[in-house]
Structures are given as C-alpha cells and as structure tokens.
Amino acid sequence: MEKNLKWHTFEDMTAKCYKTLDNGNMIKECWYGAFDTLLEIIAEEREKHPDCFGELAEIDQKTENKYNVQGWVDDYFGKLNALGDYDRIYKDGLRLIDAFQWQQQSPAQIKLRVMNAMKRLGMKDAAQRYSEEWVGQEPDDMNGLFAALIFGDKEKRE
C-alpha cells in the first residue's frame, strides 16, 4: 500500500495537539483538525482499497504503530471531555463508531462517551433509545446492559 501523504499532516497535527497549551479555540481546532484528517485518510484509503482499515486497531498494525492512532483517539475524546465539548464528543463518537466494523474490539467506551454527551446535551430520550438499540444488537455486552440501566429508567433520569 502506498503511503497517503496526509499521514504527514496527521503526524504534524497530533504532535502540535500535545504541544499546544490549553488556550481556548486554538487547542480545539488542533484536535478537531487532526481527527478530521484521520477520517479523511481512512476514507481515501478505502476508495483505493475497500477492505482497508475495517477495524480501528488495523490502522496501528498497518502503520507499524507509527502514529499511535488508538492512543491518540483515546486522548482526543479525553481532551474533549476535559473541555466540556459534548457536542463534538457526540458527533465525532458517532462518526468513529460508523467508520469501523468493530469485530476485533468493542466500541463500548466510545458508545458510553456518546451516551454521556447526549445526556449532558439534554438528549435523554435519545440516550435511552441508543442504549436500548445497543442491548438489542449485543444482548450479552455488559457495558450495553450497564448503559441501559443508567439511561433506561426514564423516571430516574428526570
């Protein structure tokens, strides 16, 4: 597989994310831009090779861990949470979940972040439906069952 030149951009942006001090919009734009660039790379690679990067873990495997994508993604959502940027957690969490097949690893942590963001954005009924869908799709997933307990009882949520 030939190397997508946007990997250089992603590498530069992620390095900048860690070096930039918490000074409002500049740090947000750095992290947002790197995340968007990552998803662009994935989309471009899939145009050339439809089976490419079917799993999040596959990115680190195929790039020999050069970019520590999984670690950076965890840090990204942690940074968004620290900034209280629940709208972006909600939107980007769903984008990330939709981007992969999730057969080798579970998206449970991301789903929980999305549901927490929904709750904080006042989307309590949507969070309840999301948890119910999760349990319906994966009835043995303890994380989904836990989420359904938290978000499923409408009287406790109000």
Side-chain angles (χ1 to χ4, degrees), residues 100-118:
F100 299 101
Q101 296 170 6
W102 302 104
Q103 293 176 358
Q104 294 178 5
Q105 66 189 109
S106 170
Q109 181 181 9
I110 299 163
K111 286 182 177 185
L112 290 170
R113 287 184 185 272
V114 167
M115 291 173 61
N116 182 53
M118 292 167 123

Side-chain angles (χ1 to χ4, degrees), residues 5 11 14 34 60 64 69 74 78 102 106 127 129 148 157-158:
L5 297 178
E11 184 174 34
T14 57
D60 285 332
E64 298 175 349
V69 171
D74 288 341
W102 302 104
S106 170
R129 285 189 303 275
R157 291 183 291 113
E158 294 175 350

Side-chain angles (χ1 to χ4, degrees), residues 145-157:
L145 293 170
F146 175 72
L149 285 173
I150 292 173
F151 296 99
D153 189 339
K154 191 172 185 174
E155 291 159 13
K156 286 184 181 178
R157 291 183 291 113

